[in-house]
């Protein structure tokens, strides 16, 4: 594979397709939750920690449409529906485990860099605010910026 510009990430590139499918944090969380076997909607909500039922439903539908998750509806009373990884979805287990391991190993460093960047941005905003001259008060008594 060539790493020349325009070759790796063409508009119809399989790598972009893969990233589009799994880029959503809820897609990754949902796929990871299903690696141990089929789960019901409520179980996925509990395991996912913070996902709303609506967003989970949207995520499951998108994963189904991409052939990664299958929905099994059982003819029981009360009705029971379970979601499971398809064979294609199972091919993502190892990459997801690798990304999870990377996050565990490097998560603190990312947070540290993010906090430093946010602090630097806040300091720049304060400095920029101080550098903006203030006009004389307007007739209504409120100062205005130049």
């Amino acid at each position: 594979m060539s790493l020349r510009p325009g070759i790796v990430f063409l508009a119809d590139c399989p790598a972009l397709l893969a990233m589009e499918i799994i880029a959503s944090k809820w897609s990754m969380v949902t796929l990871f939750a299903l690696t141990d076997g089929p789960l019901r909607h409520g179980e996925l909500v509990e395991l996912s920690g913070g996902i709303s039922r609506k967003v989970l439903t949207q995520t499951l539908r998108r994963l189904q449409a991409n052939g990664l998750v299958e929905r099994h509806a059982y003819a029981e009373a009360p009705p029971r529906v379970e979601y499971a990884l398809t064979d294609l979805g199972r091919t993502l287990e190892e990459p997801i485990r690798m990304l999870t391991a990377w996050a565990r190993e490097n998560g603190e460093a990312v947070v540290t860099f993010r906090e430093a960047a946010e602090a630097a941005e806040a300091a720049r905003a304060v400095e920029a605010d101080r550098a903006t001259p203030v006009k004389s008060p307007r007739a209504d008594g409120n100062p205005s910026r130049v």
Side-chain angles (χ1 to χ4, degrees):
M1 173 186 351
S2 172
L3 295 180
R4 290 178 297 153
I7 301 299
V8 176
F9 295 110
L10 296 173
D12 61 349
C13 172
L16 282 179
L17 173 65
M19 285 186 275
E20 179 184 322
I21 292 169
I22 63 171
S24 157
K25 75 175 179 181
W26 295 121
S27 290
M28 292 291 288
V29 169
T30 302
L31 290 167
F32 185 75
L34 291 171
T35 58
D36 288 334
L39 293 169
R40 297 176 76 169
H41 195 273
E43 293 170 322
L44 282 166
V45 169
E46 289 176 27
L47 283 173
S48 298
I51 191 171
S52 70
R53 291 183 173 276
K54 177 183 175 184
V55 171
L56 177 59
T57 298
Q58 292 169 340
T59 300
L60 287 166
R61 286 181 181 157
R62 187 171 49 254
L63 293 172
Q64 282 178 266
N66 286 300
L68 302 174
V69 170
E70 57 191 0
R71 180 182 187 270
H72 297 282
Y74 297 90
E76 300 175 348
R80 178 170 57 110
V81 175
E82 290 182 339
Y83 297 90
L85 293 177
T86 62
D87 289 341
L88 182 59
R90 291 218 169 275
T91 65
L92 288 170
E93 285 183 26
E94 187 58 27
I96 290 171
R97 288 186 204 285
M98 291 174 67
L99 284 170
T100 302
W102 180 89
R104 284 188 186 122
E105 293 170 15
N106 299 289
E108 286 185 40
V110 171
V111 169
T112 299
F113 279 106
R114 183 180 292 168
E115 288 172 350
E118 289 171 357
E121 180 61 31
R124 283 191 293 275
V126 167
E127 190 60 35
D129 194 43
R130 286 185 189 153
T132 304
V134 177
K135 286 185 184 179
S136 304
R138 297 184 309 201
D140 62 6
N142 292 323
S144 62
R145 299 274 178 206
V146 174

